[in-house]
């Protein structure tokens, strides 16, 4: 028995999240507030069990297929870790080593890798519109193959980042805040600055800031979004974030002044991203195979970026926040740090160093976010199962 | 208790397949008819248990080493799935990342990867004669290392495709037919057209059609092999297929007319392959490092192929078969589909689309074919073990 | 009950090795003699259990992260095997597929991969000073992240070869000798020739011979080190090996005459390596990005090597040893064999062939060396745990 664990289960008992079973997790905005609350409770409960050395294996065998269409360390290890925690074996679909034929349909590949897959995790964040479309197609493909009796069960999907959302990252972010502030309801009324920051590279994904504004506003946090002129996010998501804020009784402001966004903030999350319009243009250039156009766009974006080197998270800026240097600074990592990874970047090294411990803790929740998504999709009565796992009491690591 | 499962065990009890234990699976023609029957029964029994969510793990730890000397998705995932189902951990020998020294003997590499390997799966299908020779050398190497007391047990081999045979594919094909027609004996007297088909690529392996003619004839199916002049299979296999047909009371005809082969067929399996003589020539050119010769041969083969674009599985041709558009159309996938993956290919998209569900089901048996081969090689009394697994009743996936 | 197994446990009970728990294994010389004795006993005990088909899983889930900064087959499979034997899932950090940012600190990457890692294995042997420094930095990083509460436990490190030491290799070597001679104490007074040998490649690591002279001298073996003028090992290690020999009552001689080293030897271990001074120079050239300098150094080293083709382990030389052709010949493999992998190399093919069985047995201990290191770092009372595993009696492989 563990009071904290019991409290998680008790809260879980008050929520309705039955639709998550046998479903996918593509965007936080596909989910109800109850479902998201359940996600954080299950993630914390799984962490609690693991930290008490209690095994949370619910699979005796089974595959967790990953498909990373872009390089990844953090998310790759989070997926490997979270699935291993539940007893699954990660199997990577490495498209470069695979015989995925020219013209082979998504449905075919998806079905071929799924005969013994319990979960499929996909990262596809490079081109506007494509990542989401690809994931939806994989999800509907395996659904169809299941209904046709080809698959004996339906592998569920987890988005490991698309062009619009990065739900395992923002869920890890929220789990970190929940644990720092002592509960989800403690976040209500807190001011968060989600701002652009300068980076010497270009074309960083929009999904990180979008994921944040879409999630934080739902739980009553006052979000100030700020970026230079022209660095807009996807307009429909910005609009929906405003609606979420209105619903939850919070505020959502947009501006082009980093300092104003930092003013009085309880949490700051400055990070580089590419302008939405430019990313749409890039997607079209790639589709047209226009190498010269892509190159010109890159040069133009780098030049445009370079005019905004003042968008940096400095000690001076931190002074404007609610708790000065002690205000929570967050980043999905790796960050572009002045004088460390580049001359000018997203953050001064003094600020980064002072918040290193918190940043690493933030990242530590991602494997649990992954595991909780899968747990909720694969277990009919998660509350009862968590209790049963505690009672079963199998040691994860027999050290004595 | 499950009637279907019990029926599998009962049939299994009538067969003699004791030589499969601690043996390898390189070709179906190395096996007796009883042994092949046992393979299909065990595959179906393992599938039955999995579909009833009963764990079939017989290994608490252990490695399943794979060596893919050619790209692969379907077979790679089948091997990962089938071995995971039994409790093994797949470990790929990626020769590009390995320190396999110039001149290092096969025996050395084979022994070095086998200290904790329970099974080794190899795909080596590129050059005539080489794949089989390599697998035999690996098998005899680990046998020798086991006899010398270097290995504490003998890892058994499973061919994941050689230049002559593709036993996991043809076993999956047969499992599909057994389940479609309601039993292995129901296949007796059915007519199968195994035919060549046009593909814009060249050099597709001979092992697929060879595997089929060598297997289907053994179970009393009337096989019609058809291909354009010059696209011969390995002569000694064609001869043996004829002998198998004679033995089982079936017919085996060869011709150069696709339509004649389709005439009245209950099952059609049209697929591209390269002429045997050309593949032998290519093997010699590679051995001689004759890049110019290889290039010339490729051009010549592509040109030769192009004269046979009429070898396509069309709706019109399907009309000639026993059940018209409903006749079973099979392919190991990925297929070259007209207007989808190429302009002209092996099959019209209408035909492919109408048979998609069946094609995917056909593929779904491959992980079970792999698992059954290993099960029979690793378990002394498979019938008793299957019963014991059912009685043990460990859930594969604890969903409630 | 098994007498041999009980004897291992009894010996284990006499040793003090409590500092190994929750510690790392970077060099044998960081360890006390008792700790090394415990390592060999645990390795032999784990092998005994496995050969009796008794599962030694102490992890129900958990990751074993590997980072190979150089190609590897033998060590890669040893790590995969040894960790699988304990129940861990290997997860490779492939830096080429990872998003390890330019300037990202070692502490950050190390922490990001460690949230669910129980052990980290690293191979980094290319540049003098760098491998050891990197491993120390990873070890102190995860230690720090554990102390800061970011990691819920401390993943322990195992060196899979650095520029100075190759502890899993030399431990496998010693385990082989222990089992050949019937006990660690039987090795006392035996003469071992650790000599250079010619290879047509250059730049082979110093860590192999260094690992041997640092380990064998500690257990009373008389080590004769021999190499051509200029092929010195790291001076401080040679000095320490001398001190170890003095402590254990053994002799340690250095010379430039291969035949003299072989004279009367009970064991010979001839292998190529690069001159220390040249490797230091190369490290500086790489740091300076001096491609021309690197190329010149390579040509110079190859030319220098070529003047020493007479350093080959021939049948004639073997005649000088204590037991002639029957004297134990060892090599970590792959060896450069005359007329097999090269024209002139480290050993005559007749000598190699006559000792093949022994060489493979030598290699067979490496997975157990890896597993024993981890076992001692992860289990508080290894003696009690080994007994408990025997009593638990879970079959590793249920074959009947």
């Amino acid at each position: 028995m563990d009071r904290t664990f019991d409290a998680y289960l008790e809260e879980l008992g008050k929520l309705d999240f039955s639709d998550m079973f046998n479903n996918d997790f593509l965007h936080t905005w596909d989910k109800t507030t109850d479902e998201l609350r359940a996600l954080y409770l299950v993630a914390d409960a799984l962490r609690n069990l693991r930290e008490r050395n209690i095994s949370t294996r619910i699979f005796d065998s089974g595959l967790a297929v990953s498909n990373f269409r872009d390089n990844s360390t953090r998310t790759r290890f989070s997926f490997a870790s979270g699935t291993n925690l539940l007893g699954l074996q990660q199997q990577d679909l490495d498209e470069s080593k695979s015989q995925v034929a020219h013209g082979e349909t998504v449905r075919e590949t998806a079905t071929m890798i799924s005969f013994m897959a319990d979960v499929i995790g996909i990262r596809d964040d490079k081109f506007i519109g494509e990542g989401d479309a690809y994931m939806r197609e994989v999800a509907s493909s395996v659904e169809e193959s299941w209904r046709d009796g080809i698959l004996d069960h339906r592998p569920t999907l987890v988005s490991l980042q698309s062009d619009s959302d990065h739900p395992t990252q923002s869920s890890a972010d929220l789990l970190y805040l929940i644990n720092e502030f002592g509960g989800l309801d403690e976040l209500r009324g807190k001011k968060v600055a989600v701002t652009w920051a300068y980076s010497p590279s270009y074309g960083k994904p929009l999904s990180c800031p979008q994921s944040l504004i879409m999630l934080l506003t739902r739980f009553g946090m006052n979000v100030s979004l700020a970026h230079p002129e022209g660095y807009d996010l996807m307009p429909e998501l910005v609009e929906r974030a405003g609606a979420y804020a209105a619903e939850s009784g919070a505020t959502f402001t947009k501006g082009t002044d980093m300092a104003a966004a930092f003013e009085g903030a309880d949490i700051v999350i400055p990070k580089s991203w590419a302008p939405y319009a430019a990313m749409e243009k890039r997607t079209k250039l790639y589709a047209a195979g226009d190498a010269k156009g892509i190159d010109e766009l890159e040069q133009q974006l780098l030049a445009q970026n370079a005019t905004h080197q003042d968008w940096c998270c400095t000690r001076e800026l931190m002074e404007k926040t609610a708790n000065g240097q002690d205000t929570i600074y967050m980043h999905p990592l790796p960050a572009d740090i002045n004088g460390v990874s580049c001359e000018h970047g997203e953050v001064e090294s003094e600020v980064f160093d002072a918040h290193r411990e918190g940043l690493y803790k933030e990242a530590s929740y991602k494997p649990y976010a992954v595991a909780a998504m899968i747990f909720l999709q694969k277990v009919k009565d998660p509350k009862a199962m968590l209790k049963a796992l505690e009672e079963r009491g199998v040691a994860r690591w027999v050290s004595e």
Side-chain angles (χ1 to χ4, degrees), chain A residues 78-139:
Chain A
S78 291
F79 188 70
S81 298
T83 54
N84 171 269
L85 187 70
L86 302 178
L88 294 173
Q89 161 84 51
Q90 192 211 5
Q91 182 70 18
D92 199 42
L93 171 61
D94 182 339
E95 290 175 320
S96 70
K97 282 190 195 170
S98 294
Q99 195 197 9
V100 175
H102 175 69
E104 180 173 330
T105 59
V106 169
R107 185 172 176 209
E108 188 161 313
T109 310
T111 303
M112 294 302 123
I113 61 171
S114 293
F115 298 126
M116 292 193 186
D118 290 292
V119 64
I120 300 173
I122 298 174
R123 178 173 205 166
D124 188 348
D125 64 340
K126 277 197 166 166
F127 301 112
I128 293 297
E130 295 194 7
D132 278 319
Y134 177 67
M135 291 186 207
R136 270 194 307 269
E137 196 173 351
V138 170

